[in-house]
Amino acid sequence: MSELFDAIDALVASRSPLPAPAERKRLRQAHGLTLEEVAATLDVRRATVGAWESGRTEPRPPQREPYAHLLKQLARLYPSPTATEGGTPAIPTATAPAVPSAPAEAAPSAPAANAPVPAPAAAPPSPAAAPRPARGSRRPGAPRAAAADSPAPAGSGPYAHGPLLVLDADDEQQVSGYGTGGLLLDVTAKSLPALVAWALAEARVGAQKLHASGKDADPLLVLTAAACERYGLPAALSDAERSAGRLPEGHKVIKLLERAGWKLTRRGLGPWARIYRPVTGGRRQCVQLCIPSWNALDDRAWGHAATLEPAELARVLGVYAHRVMTPVGSSAVSGLELMTALNPPTRASEPDQDGKRHSEHRPGSLGTQALDPAPCEAIDGHPVLAHLPRFHIRGPQERLFEEAYDWARDLTDAECMQSHLVGIDVNLAFGAAANGAVVGLDSPPEHVTRPVFDPAVPGSWLVDLSHVDLSRVKVAKQWRDLQGDLLPSPFTPTGEHPEGPAWYATPTVAYAVELGYDVAPVEAWVRPRSGRFLDGWYKRLRDAYVATMADLKVAEKLSPGGFLEAMDGYKGRDPELGIVVDAVKMTVKGGIGKLQEKARGGGWVPGQAWPALARPTWRPDIRAAVISRARVNMHRKMVALAAATGHYPVAVLSDCAVYTADGPSPLDVLPYDQDGKTVPGSFRLGVSPGMVKHEGTQDVLWGVGVLEQLAEEGKVANLARYIKTGEVTARDTGE
């Protein structure tokens, strides 16, 4: 008989009353509990608890009774605003789960009489303005999307649900799509082919084109590890798959896609996969996949984004998509694609005599054809150098060496007497250098012998700049005497003085003229058809960076002291937006680097073309021009500061310069008057690209120790490499 009573108790417990889903979430958050903590205690997955709180599923035995007990205890601690007058919190009855979308594989059926009808979802707010989501779930009050066959909100357009969805699955294999602005979609597709079809036909995900002659951004679906397993994909790649960067061709999911008529691009089904069908009737059918657990979100650009909850990840990627573009690959790939999205190679022509429009070249773009570089601009192994001996090493008279600074020197006796080493770093240095850069467009380079140098013509010039004396230069059109041996040369990445003729990009040669010296090029490869191709690219990335920094309370037009104060711990104010800031910076740097993408893969041999060469955006000359401008900008600022104050850098690494000072602040290096003005043409503190921020400060004794330590090992120490943290890694010491 006792067993019967136990069974009755279990039956009653299986229907333990629960508060409404929103109340469940409120109680958990009120006590500061995360979804992981609740899930671990109840021995379920985090997504399962999230489904209970969203109302998509209801707890079942044996977890239902302890879950109800947890909520009851929390309700006593945190009474609901709707609690009864007697002080006992009112426990609402469990609500019915939200009505799911119609399955993608079947036509939607008519609703039954008296069935609940979901309201259409409003267009989500800009992800930049959306509040930071609660950890582990959608935000309070987040709209749940209407069924797929319900009418779109008026004026919401085809992309009412934003540019992307982060898909996650719970224990019961139900998939949710977390969108921007706190949106939550029910995803009922049962297979990857069905998911792709659903994304194009029903999800209303994507983004408008960035240029009138461009194309709309494809829907981006981000699959968590749980969602991967739901759709037959591994949660992580094997060593062999990771090395190949994709799943093998015979994988069952790839076969499913093929049978459904879907195709994959050359990079296959990897961390960033593009699934498409050939254009029919002018309609593009393409979906982009991003799989963080396959290392799609490289931590060098995206920090800890891959470990975020789905709602938080949707916010991070949504802000980036809203301000930069919907990501289509690594930050470098996205940076390169942004150039084309903002400056498309073609446009629609005027109607012909039959009223039809045709695709034609768009002036100011790079065109649709890849161009061979000049021999001096080509990197080793390029087909234009196939005639050279196999192990031939090209020197400065044969190859264009335009790279960022990596220069350092010993401290003087006077500098050793000072107390601190202060690093200052230029914001978006390569972006600022791209702004206003005149580069060659859609025509091949022209070879000229004995040319007259023209600073307005982009190209590469063979010229001897060894006569430029940094101890006497023109600053603001006035001759000034400097300690030239304390400055790096502006003409080489190492800062060493050139010894004879060498190839230089136009901005480098123009700077020699600016310093007051004549130049006489021997020959040149020039590009008369030119323009400011990167201006729009810079402006969009500049605006994205400045707007996100403003969200982190680092605004433009702050006083120098106010700026330094605002920068102190700025990422901690919103770590998710801190990820976006880093991603924008890496988009700038990586996009410029991709202009000279090298061959990858074990099958390539020198002299053979590699895939990147087929792109119109494979342009090492444009990369060289931007890096040249960045290095020259850095040198110009160092010269202006030295001429006005006598302060000289002790190390420069790319966009970071280190100075000795009697105090720990950049204000101990950079002079500012009472009106907030500093040396014209020199470094200025601020958030805008081209201005500088504090990179780090260390003791001079620390710097002397690092120099001695690495000198004993036969290495030259660049203090700018270590100034931020003060740590010298085992890789640097050779241990």
Side-chain angles (χ1 to χ4, degrees):
M1 184 65 70
S2 61
E3 292 83 357
L4 182 58
F5 281 100
D6 290 342
I8 292 173
D9 290 341
L11 181 63
V12 173
S14 71
R15 297 294 185 270
S16 296
L18 296 172
E23 180 66 5
R24 302 169 197 174
K25 182 175 179 180
R26 185 193 72 81
L27 291 171
R28 174 179 62 80
Q29 292 178 341
H31 202 60
L33 298 175
T34 65
L35 284 178
E36 286 86 351
E37 291 172 317
V38 176
T41 302
L42 297 175
D43 195 23
V44 295
R45 290 171 56 180
R46 170 191 51 75
T48 300
V49 181
W52 295 345
E53 291 185 354
S54 66
R56 287 187 290 111
T57 62
E58 287 295 303
R60 299 177 179 176
Q63 286 85 14
R64 186 180 180 99
E65 183 178 12
Y67 184 52
H69 180 69
L70 168 66
L71 296 175
K72 186 176 181 180
Q73 294 290 91
L74 294 177
R76 291 195 182 102
L77 294 173
Y78 309 101
S80 169
T82 59
T84 60
E85 293 181 359
T88 303
I91 305 295
T93 58
T95 59
V99 178
S101 303
E105 293 86 347
S109 58
N114 300 323
V117 179
S126 162
R132 187 178 177 187
R135 289 194 60 82
S137 59
R138 65 189 178 100
R139 301 179 198 120
R144 177 173 289 276
D149 56 334
S150 62
S156 61
Y159 307 130
H161 294 154
L164 57 93
L165 292 174
V166 178
L167 306 187
D168 194 26
D170 61 20
D171 282 345
E172 299 178 359
Q173 297 294 292
Q174 295 192 20
V175 181
S176 296
Y178 295 80
T180 58
L183 190 71
L184 188 64
L185 283 165
D186 286 322
V187 183
T188 56
K190 305 301 183 184
S191 65
L192 191 58
L195 177 66
V196 174
W198 172 85
L200 292 169
E202 304 177 47
R204 292 150 66 193
V205 173
Q208 296 289 343
K209 54 192 174 186
L210 299 180
H211 189 280
S213 297
K215 61 178 183 290
D216 291 355
D218 299 319
L220 173 62
L221 302 180
V222 184
L223 305 184
T224 65
C228 284
E229 294 176 346
R230 170 65 184 82
Y231 290 114
L233 300 170
L237 295 177
S238 66
D239 290 342
E241 292 165 347
R242 189 163 50 251
S243 177
R246 66 187 72 188
L247 293 181
E249 293 297 327
H251 193 278
K252 60 182 181 180
V253 173
I254 296 179
K255 291 182 178 179
L256 282 176
L257 289 168
E258 291 173 347
R259 283 199 294 268
W262 295 104
K263 297 180 179 293
L264 291 163
T265 58
R266 186 165 45 200
R267 58 184 174 183
L269 187 47
W272 289 93
R274 192 178 291 276
I275 303 173
Y276 71 98
R277 280 178 177 154
V279 175
T280 55
R283 183 186 176 192
R284 179 180 173 88
Q285 298 183 76
C286 188
V287 171
Q288 179 79 54
L289 297 186
C290 168
I291 306 179
S293 61
W294 295 6
N295 200 34
L297 301 176
D298 184 354
D299 57 9
R300 290 172 297 178
W302 293 98
H304 64 285
T307 66
L308 293 175
E309 302 280 355
E312 295 169 332
L313 181 56
R315 179 181 181 235
V316 168
L317 295 176
V319 173
Y320 182 91
H322 177 74
R323 290 180 170 165
V324 180
M325 69 176 297
T326 304
V328 293
S330 67
S331 57
V333 170
S334 296
L336 192 70
E337 289 294 321
L338 181 64
M339 296 179 191
T340 303
L342 292 169
N343 206 330
T346 60
R347 66 182 181 186
S349 68
E350 292 297 323
D352 60 18
Q353 59 184 4
D354 297 325
K356 296 182 178 180
R357 295 180 184 270
H358 306 275
S359 178
E360 66 178 13
H361 170 68
R362 200 181 140 270
S365 73
L366 298 185
T368 59
Q369 300 297 317
L371 300 175
D372 279 339
C376 63
E377 298 164 350
I379 59 177
D380 292 340
H382 193 282
V384 302
L385 305 175
H387 63 284
L388 295 177
R390 182 175 180 184
F391 297 107
H392 178 72
I393 299 177
R394 295 182 295 158
Q397 294 188 44
E398 296 177 275
R399 180 180 175 183
L400 180 69
F401 286 95
E402 292 287 9
E403 300 295 340
Y405 266 130
D406 188 349
W407 168 85
R409 62 172 176 83
D410 290 330
L411 276 65
T412 65
D413 291 343
E415 289 168 340
C416 288
M417 297 301 293
Q418 294 185 285
S419 58
H420 291 86
L421 290 161
V422 180
I424 53 176
D425 181 79
V426 180
N427 302 319
L428 294 188
F430 295 115
N435 185 36
V438 178
V439 300
L441 295 178
D442 58 330
S443 58
E446 301 176 8
H447 186 252
V448 184
T449 56
R450 298 293 175 184
V452 176
F453 176 69
D454 185 347
V457 177
S460 300
W461 310 78
L462 181 61
V463 59
D464 188 350
L465 299 180
S466 60
H467 64 290
V468 177
D469 183 5
L470 294 180
S471 64
R472 184 164 177 77
V473 296
K474 276 187 178 181
V475 182
K477 299 182 180 180
Q478 294 183 348
W479 286 98
R480 302 293 295 270
D481 293 326
L482 300 174
Q483 292 179 268
D485 57 332
L486 299 184
L487 284 168
S489 168
F491 309 128
T492 63
T494 61
E496 297 177 357
H497 197 70
E499 297 180 350
W503 285 99
Y504 301 100
T506 297
T508 303
V509 184
Y511 186 56
V513 175
E514 179 184 325
L515 292 176
Y517 293 87
D518 294 331
V519 297
V522 178
E523 60 178 304
W525 290 90
V526 296
R527 292 174 169 82
R529 189 182 300 176
S530 60
R532 295 168 58 158
F533 171 73
L534 294 172
D535 277 10
W537 182 80
Y538 160 76
K539 184 179 185 303
R540 186 160 182 88
L541 289 165
R542 182 258 180 212
D543 291 348
Y545 177 77
V546 170
T548 309
M549 290 296 287
D551 290 339
L552 291 168
K553 311 304 181 187
V554 184
E556 294 184 280
K557 299 182 180 179
L558 291 173
S559 67
F563 170 72
L564 292 174
E565 183 178 354
M567 286 292 293
D568 186 18
Y570 72 100
K571 288 184 181 178
R573 294 171 196 144
D574 192 328
E576 292 158 22
L577 290 183
I579 294 174
V580 177
V581 167
D582 288 341
V584 171
K585 291 192 289 187
M586 289 301 291
T587 301
V588 173
K589 188 174 295 186
I592 296 299
K594 272 283 184 180
L595 292 167
Q596 185 180 275
E597 183 177 352
K598 297 180 180 179
R600 294 181 295 175
W604 175 79
V605 295
Q608 289 184 350
W610 57 95
L613 300 187
R615 296 192 318 246
T617 50
W618 197 86
R619 293 292 299 271
D621 59 298
I622 296 180
R623 174 185 178 273
V626 172
I627 294 178
S628 168
R629 282 171 59 91
R631 196 180 65 247
V632 163
N633 288 345
M634 196 79 175
H635 194 271
R636 184 182 291 113
K637 290 176 168 59
M638 292 187 293
V639 166
L641 183 63
T645 68
H647 289 165
Y648 291 83
V650 299
V652 184
L653 182 66
S654 187
D655 47 10
C656 175
V658 176
Y659 287 82
T660 58
D662 291 323
S665 170
L667 293 175
D668 296 307
V669 176
L670 309 178
Y672 278 87
D673 59 23
Q674 293 182 347
D675 296 328
K677 295 182 179 180
T678 187
V679 177
S682 184
F683 300 106
R684 293 174 54 206
L685 289 165
V687 73
S688 296
M691 300 176 77
V692 298
K693 61 180 180 294
H694 186 201
E695 180 69 3
T697 294
Q698 306 294 334
D699 294 337
V700 164
L701 291 178
W702 164 87
V704 172
V706 171
L707 293 173
E708 292 177 348
Q709 175 187 0
L710 295 182
E712 290 175 356
E713 300 169 5
K715 299 179 180 180
V716 178
N718 188 323
L719 296 178
R721 181 172 282 110
Y722 319 113
I723 193 69
K724 188 170 187 175
T725 63
E727 297 179 1
V728 180
T729 64
R731 178 177 61 85
D732 297 315
T733 60
E735 296 179 1

